Amino acid sequence: MRTSDVDVLVIGAGPAGLGAAIKAKENGAREVLVIERDFEPGGILNQCIHNGFGLQYFSQELTGPEYAGRFIRKASRSDVEIQTDTMVLAVNPSREVITSSRHFGLQLFRAKSVVLAMGCRERTRDAIQIYGTRPAGILTAGTAQRFTNIEGFLPGKKVVVLGSGDIGLIMARRMKLEGCEVRGVFELLPYTNGLSRNVVQCLNDFSIPLYLQETVTEVLGKDRLEGVKTIKVDKKQSPLPGTERFVPCDTLLLSVGLIPENELSRKAGIKIDPLTGGPVVNQDRMTNIPGIFACGNVTQVHDLADDVTVESEIAGTAAARFRKGNLQGKELSVEAGRGIRYVVPQRIDVSEIKKENPLIFFMRAEVPTRQVKIIFTQEGEEKFGETLPFIKPGEIIKITISPEMLKKFKPDKNILVEVGKGNNNG
Amino acid sequence: MVEKKLICVICPVGCEIRASIEGGEVKEIRDFRCAQGEEYAREEFTSPSRILTATVQVKNSSIAQLPVRSDKPLPREKLEKAMFQLAGIIMAPPIKEGQLIIKDILGTGANMVASRDLEK
Amino acid sequence: MQKFDVVIIGGGVVGCAIARELSRYKIKVAVLEKETELGTGTTKANTGLIHSGFNVDKNTIKGRLNLEANPLFDRLVSQLNIPFQRNGSLVVAHNREDYQALLHSIEEAKANGVKGIKWLNKDELKEKEPAINKDSFGAVFAPSGGIICPFEFTLALGQNAHSNGVVFFLGTEVKKIITKEGWVEGLETSRGFIRVSFVVNAAGLLADTFGEEIKNEGITLKARRGQYLVYDREYPVKVKHTLFPRPTEVSKGIIVTPTIHGNLMVGPNAEQVEGRDALETTETGIKEVLEGARKLVPNIDTSAVIRMFSGLRAVANNDFIIAPAKKTRGLVLAVGIQSPGLTAAPRIGELVAEILKDIGLGLKGKPDFQEERTPLKSPGKMNWGERAALVEKDLDYGQVICRCEGITRGEIRDAILSPLGAVTIDGIKRRTRAASGRCQSGFCGPRLIELLKEFAGISPFEASLRGGETQILKYRSKELLLKGGENIADQ
């Protein structure tokens, strides 16, 4: 097996991996190698042909391929090596990485630091238990997106979308623009999980109906999908008898959630946060294994590629600076409290806080709420608070704490992040 | 005079902005919370427009579809018509991001351009 | 078409076991299978258990064959080169009444020759299987119970038969058995007439559909449906043994078991259904399965389900029918093969050969019979050194196509190109496990379609889940627009 040493090995050449690799290079890492399983770099952005990327990071509205293209070209200018069509088979806690490829066979890389940037995958029909037969015509929205936008095929022409996450909304529009009939987007919850912009521009613009609190319970059709059975649900998501209906269609696209892809991480012994589905990381995006970092959708499922980039730059910078034998400092944990589903980072390494840098916390709300104060407490005492006009589960909350404000925190007490009392549920 | 309303998509707040419209002009606009929201709503009420993103067929390439976009927004009602124009196009690599695919599509003044590099 | 000595109708586990057995002899044998792949009927939706024979009635055919067949597996799997594990069965007692009934069965099982069977008390049970319901009273431990992949088993039998000269006609439907003066003369099929002297009906759920000759035998089959749930291999709830509740008169009950590939699986329930293709899962059925499973392992939930499916068993009466037909000479029946059909299959093969001999087929052994089947290569099971060496020799084993299960281009290529190769996505899946992981083909689906084209010449529009009308792709991008968009969609 060919064996080589590298400074930073990045797994995945999507926006997270490329962002991390470029930053690692900028911060002094010499050999930076990115391993990508697909035929070309860019990750899922290659199939996300719609616009809406880059508004925050580049202050310009780009399509997915354009956003990826900027990083691909920059990586190439920065002398970052990308090995495509290569799969990582294993990572161990000593940062040895085994890869397999049709061009190079099996290779062993010994890395000073590793950045995990494998992204996420989609939940499937079976994961959410839709009963019925097993006909052709049931696909995840992302798979349909790849077929339509890259491979040049359509799975059918009468489409029902289940789930109002962004991919579901975007695929509803995409299928409509391709000449399909889109019968509607069904959503179990009383609100959409996608960005408001996508509801307006993907559904309203094309008069595609959005059915909130209505879900697909069963599929029909022996060989080919012939239709779906739907039912309305109440606030507790319990089905309302008598509201069943049959919606004829030949294609069902599922946009029912994304799951960080952490099989490699788990096997490497990396601790996973059950709330995010991603590794528990500190403010540098370092996992519990020294020298192994994680960023992008493998850490938490982001709404915006721009946020992935922000996170990847943190991880890439830290990965370049990490030196073998670097001992972890004392860490305190950051926990999600009332009204908050999760917080990233989950740990703060006190000794590593750069006094000149602010800390950015990513979090998700449990329910849509207007006029809320998000508070950070230690031992029940409020240390920091920020009031937001509106929060909802579908849109990630980012809170930046400045170095001055950070001084108010005790260095040895865990932090709880919660929604202040007395907020209106909205 | 007609009353119209829309959900602002500028930020997650999602303000429901209302306006009185007469002869295609906004006479009065209310319930916005910021200047960007007002600007967005004014345009959305009178002449909504969108960037069109789609694909065109590509031959002799590692991929079958090339992503394309309009270089500026098109009137919303022309999006579906524009798709019929794209349906007949066949490209071949090499292609550069920004390369012209259709000039002045449907007389809108917007060009359809490639939205990625494609070497092969 | 050529003339055969024996035609077996049905390429399920029973048909393939019979084919392999007959391939030992100097006769011309063919298998006719309606579907484009083997093992797609009752065989595919199976629990995958090799039953110990605990609790069988040895006066029934199914009971006797179960007892006789179980010990054959060690040798058989080493010949066929397929994974098999005697993980042991635990028949769990929930109360004193169960306990007494089970104690009685232990004695019977011992008398029937079931090896190593013994009672485990509550603590011993808990130690053997920590996930077990802590209210359990104890369990019968039958170490000879095992797990196998039903499809791999069937395919291996089929491939071995094939390499010993059996001809397989896939995608070939039998319409009618043709007789002349009370003797089998041939078969009317979707590919024309086939002349044959002896016919074995191993057609599972369709065994009573081949015309008058079958009707005359007075066989009525009913379909019994069982539903299942399969879990992600990373699901923390795990069992080592196959756990059964105390069996009832009609069924072995809802089981909790590991599969040979390391997934947790639960099921089946048992429901009489109308028709022969009611293969859906239902809310009631899945709930019943979960409730049953939770009696054995209370922590089981639905958080890591990767697949729900249902299977149909052909039930004739309470027993298998393996016998010469009463009214038609040259016809042998192997029908009503419900549980434990998978276990009994090797013995069914032998028994059918004996029956054929009895009714006049001359069986002379082939000196060149090859009992070994060469397995497909499996880089995922090798150590790093072996794997690196394999990839160096053949780089196709270096490209991972299915990321969930780590299946390579080389393995998929082999699955398509090997004898009785895969022609559908499900066919690739069953042979290699590609697409059977947690993403259920979300990522590798497009790649599998390309590989079916590359190695089998199947166009992307013909690529299907399992043949029939199950094609995955319907149009080219822009095709609907070019045809007039909405107008097309409205038709």
PDB file of all heavy atoms in Angstrom, chain A residues 131, chain C residues 227 282-292 294:
ATOM      1  N   TYR A 131     -46.277   3.391   4.552  1.00  0.00           N
ATOM      2  CA  TYR A 131     -46.684   2.016   4.274  1.00  0.00           C
ATOM      3  C   TYR A 131     -47.060   1.836   2.809  1.00  0.00           C
ATOM      4  O   TYR A 131     -47.113   2.786   2.059  1.00  0.00           O
ATOM      5  CB  TYR A 131     -47.868   1.638   5.177  1.00  0.00           C
ATOM      6  CG  TYR A 131     -47.553   1.843   6.638  1.00  0.00           C
ATOM      7  CD1 TYR A 131     -48.081   2.915   7.351  1.00  0.00           C
ATOM      8  CD2 TYR A 131     -46.674   0.976   7.297  1.00  0.00           C
ATOM      9  CE1 TYR A 131     -47.763   3.117   8.686  1.00  0.00           C
ATOM     10  CE2 TYR A 131     -46.358   1.175   8.632  1.00  0.00           C
ATOM     11  CZ  TYR A 131     -46.906   2.247   9.316  1.00  0.00           C
ATOM     12  OH  TYR A 131     -46.583   2.441  10.621  1.00  0.00           O
TER      13      TYR A 131
ATOM     14  N   GLN C 227     -45.036  -9.355   7.595  1.00  0.00           N
ATOM     15  CA  GLN C 227     -44.354  -8.067   7.423  1.00  0.00           C
ATOM     16  C   GLN C 227     -43.120  -7.990   8.323  1.00  0.00           C
ATOM     17  O   GLN C 227     -43.078  -8.606   9.386  1.00  0.00           O
ATOM     18  CB  GLN C 227     -45.318  -6.918   7.745  1.00  0.00           C
ATOM     19  CG  GLN C 227     -46.577  -6.989   6.887  1.00  0.00           C
ATOM     20  CD  GLN C 227     -47.469  -5.769   7.027  1.00  0.00           C
ATOM     21  OE1 GLN C 227     -47.013  -4.667   7.298  1.00  0.00           O
ATOM     22  NE2 GLN C 227     -48.769  -5.978   6.830  1.00  0.00           N
ATOM     23  N   THR C 282     -48.509  -2.578   5.973  1.00  0.00           N
ATOM     24  CA  THR C 282     -49.652  -1.816   6.476  1.00  0.00           C
ATOM     25  C   THR C 282     -49.353  -1.304   7.877  1.00  0.00           C
ATOM     26  O   THR C 282     -48.508  -1.857   8.580  1.00  0.00           O
ATOM     27  CB  THR C 282     -50.915  -2.698   6.553  1.00  0.00           C
ATOM     28  OG1 THR C 282     -50.657  -3.748   7.506  1.00  0.00           O
ATOM     29  CG2 THR C 282     -51.268  -3.307   5.206  1.00  0.00           C
ATOM     30  N   GLU C 283     -50.062  -0.269   8.243  1.00  0.00           N
ATOM     31  CA  GLU C 283     -49.864   0.297   9.569  1.00  0.00           C
ATOM     32  C   GLU C 283     -50.168  -0.743  10.648  1.00  0.00           C
ATOM     33  O   GLU C 283     -49.398  -0.937  11.580  1.00  0.00           O
ATOM     34  CB  GLU C 283     -50.765   1.529   9.725  1.00  0.00           C
ATOM     35  CG  GLU C 283     -50.502   2.275  11.007  1.00  0.00           C
ATOM     36  CD  GLU C 283     -51.337   3.551  11.125  1.00  0.00           C
ATOM     37  OE1 GLU C 283     -52.098   3.865  10.185  1.00  0.00           O
ATOM     38  OE2 GLU C 283     -51.206   4.214  12.163  1.00  0.00           O
ATOM     39  N   THR C 284     -51.293  -1.452  10.463  1.00  0.00           N
ATOM     40  CA  THR C 284     -51.690  -2.460  11.450  1.00  0.00           C
ATOM     41  C   THR C 284     -50.639  -3.554  11.544  1.00  0.00           C
ATOM     42  O   THR C 284     -50.275  -3.987  12.639  1.00  0.00           O
ATOM     43  CB  THR C 284     -53.024  -3.141  11.028  1.00  0.00           C
ATOM     44  OG1 THR C 284     -53.689  -2.294  10.113  1.00  0.00           O
ATOM     45  CG2 THR C 284     -53.878  -3.479  12.195  1.00  0.00           C
ATOM     46  N   GLY C 285     -50.178  -4.009  10.389  1.00  0.00           N
ATOM     47  CA  GLY C 285     -49.216  -5.099  10.365  1.00  0.00           C
ATOM     48  C   GLY C 285     -47.905  -4.713  11.026  1.00  0.00           C
ATOM     49  O   GLY C 285     -47.359  -5.466  11.849  1.00  0.00           O
ATOM     50  N   ILE C 286     -47.392  -3.551  10.682  1.00  0.00           N
ATOM     51  CA  ILE C 286     -46.111  -3.108  11.242  1.00  0.00           C
ATOM     52  C   ILE C 286     -46.245  -2.884  12.751  1.00  0.00           C
ATOM     53  O   ILE C 286     -45.356  -3.228  13.533  1.00  0.00           O
ATOM     54  CB  ILE C 286     -45.602  -1.839  10.513  1.00  0.00           C
ATOM     55  CG1 ILE C 286     -45.222  -2.184   9.062  1.00  0.00           C
ATOM     56  CG2 ILE C 286     -44.437  -1.195  11.244  1.00  0.00           C
ATOM     57  CD1 ILE C 286     -44.026  -3.114   8.881  1.00  0.00           C
ATOM     58  N   LYS C 287     -47.399  -2.356  13.170  1.00  0.00           N
ATOM     59  CA  LYS C 287     -47.627  -2.171  14.608  1.00  0.00           C
ATOM     60  C   LYS C 287     -47.618  -3.514  15.329  1.00  0.00           C
ATOM     61  O   LYS C 287     -47.052  -3.650  16.418  1.00  0.00           O
ATOM     62  CB  LYS C 287     -48.951  -1.445  14.860  1.00  0.00           C
ATOM     63  CG  LYS C 287     -48.786   0.055  14.773  1.00  0.00           C
ATOM     64  CD  LYS C 287     -49.996   0.790  15.321  1.00  0.00           C
ATOM     65  CE  LYS C 287     -49.770   2.285  15.247  1.00  0.00           C
ATOM     66  NZ  LYS C 287     -50.976   3.030  14.878  1.00  0.00           N
ATOM     67  N   GLU C 288     -48.267  -4.465  14.714  1.00  0.00           N
ATOM     68  CA  GLU C 288     -48.331  -5.808  15.307  1.00  0.00           C
ATOM     69  C   GLU C 288     -46.916  -6.386  15.447  1.00  0.00           C
ATOM     70  O   GLU C 288     -46.562  -6.967  16.467  1.00  0.00           O
ATOM     71  CB  GLU C 288     -49.197  -6.705  14.411  1.00  0.00           C
ATOM     72  CG  GLU C 288     -49.499  -8.053  15.011  1.00  0.00           C
ATOM     73  CD  GLU C 288     -50.192  -8.998  14.007  1.00  0.00           C
ATOM     74  OE1 GLU C 288     -50.701  -8.516  12.970  1.00  0.00           O
ATOM     75  OE2 GLU C 288     -50.185 -10.211  14.275  1.00  0.00           O
ATOM     76  N   VAL C 289     -46.114  -6.203  14.411  1.00  0.00           N
ATOM     77  CA  VAL C 289     -44.747  -6.705  14.442  1.00  0.00           C
ATOM     78  C   VAL C 289     -43.948  -6.032  15.563  1.00  0.00           C
ATOM     79  O   VAL C 289     -43.245  -6.686  16.334  1.00  0.00           O
ATOM     80  CB  VAL C 289     -44.054  -6.478  13.064  1.00  0.00           C
ATOM     81  CG1 VAL C 289     -42.560  -6.681  13.168  1.00  0.00           C
ATOM     82  CG2 VAL C 289     -44.659  -7.406  12.024  1.00  0.00           C
ATOM     83  N   LEU C 290     -44.106  -4.709  15.657  1.00  0.00           N
ATOM     84  CA  LEU C 290     -43.355  -3.990  16.691  1.00  0.00           C
ATOM     85  C   LEU C 290     -43.784  -4.416  18.088  1.00  0.00           C
ATOM     86  O   LEU C 290     -42.951  -4.613  18.976  1.00  0.00           O
ATOM     87  CB  LEU C 290     -43.550  -2.485  16.517  1.00  0.00           C
ATOM     88  CG  LEU C 290     -42.686  -1.866  15.409  1.00  0.00           C
ATOM     89  CD1 LEU C 290     -43.171  -0.461  15.090  1.00  0.00           C
ATOM     90  CD2 LEU C 290     -41.209  -1.843  15.803  1.00  0.00           C
ATOM     91  N   GLU C 291     -45.101  -4.569  18.267  1.00  0.00           N
ATOM     92  CA  GLU C 291     -45.587  -5.002  19.582  1.00  0.00           C
ATOM     93  C   GLU C 291     -45.037  -6.375  19.933  1.00  0.00           C
ATOM     94  O   GLU C 291     -44.578  -6.605  21.055  1.00  0.00           O
ATOM     95  CB  GLU C 291     -47.115  -5.038  19.602  1.00  0.00           C
ATOM     96  CG  GLU C 291     -47.708  -3.700  19.987  1.00  0.00           C
ATOM     97  CD  GLU C 291     -49.195  -3.605  19.649  1.00  0.00           C
ATOM     98  OE1 GLU C 291     -49.886  -4.651  19.691  1.00  0.00           O
ATOM     99  OE2 GLU C 291     -49.639  -2.483  19.325  1.00  0.00           O
ATOM    100  N   GLY C 292     -45.059  -7.262  18.955  1.00  0.00           N
ATOM    101  CA  GLY C 292     -44.539  -8.608  19.178  1.00  0.00           C
ATOM    102  C   GLY C 292     -43.057  -8.561  19.515  1.00  0.00           C
ATOM    103  O   GLY C 292     -42.589  -9.227  20.447  1.00  0.00           O
ATOM    104  N   ARG C 294     -41.344  -6.143  20.764  1.00  0.00           N
ATOM    105  CA  ARG C 294     -41.071  -5.491  22.052  1.00  0.00           C
ATOM    106  C   ARG C 294     -41.331  -6.395  23.239  1.00  0.00           C
ATOM    107  O   ARG C 294     -40.812  -6.163  24.334  1.00  0.00           O
ATOM    108  CB  ARG C 294     -41.908  -4.210  22.178  1.00  0.00           C
ATOM    109  CG  ARG C 294     -41.326  -3.080  21.361  1.00  0.00           C
ATOM    110  CD  ARG C 294     -42.184  -1.844  21.457  1.00  0.00           C
ATOM    111  NE  ARG C 294     -41.710  -0.853  20.505  1.00  0.00           N
ATOM    112  CZ  ARG C 294     -42.510  -0.108  19.751  1.00  0.00           C
ATOM    113  NH1 ARG C 294     -43.822  -0.228  19.860  1.00  0.00           N
ATOM    114  NH2 ARG C 294     -42.009   0.771  18.909  1.00  0.00           N
TER     115      ARG C 294
END
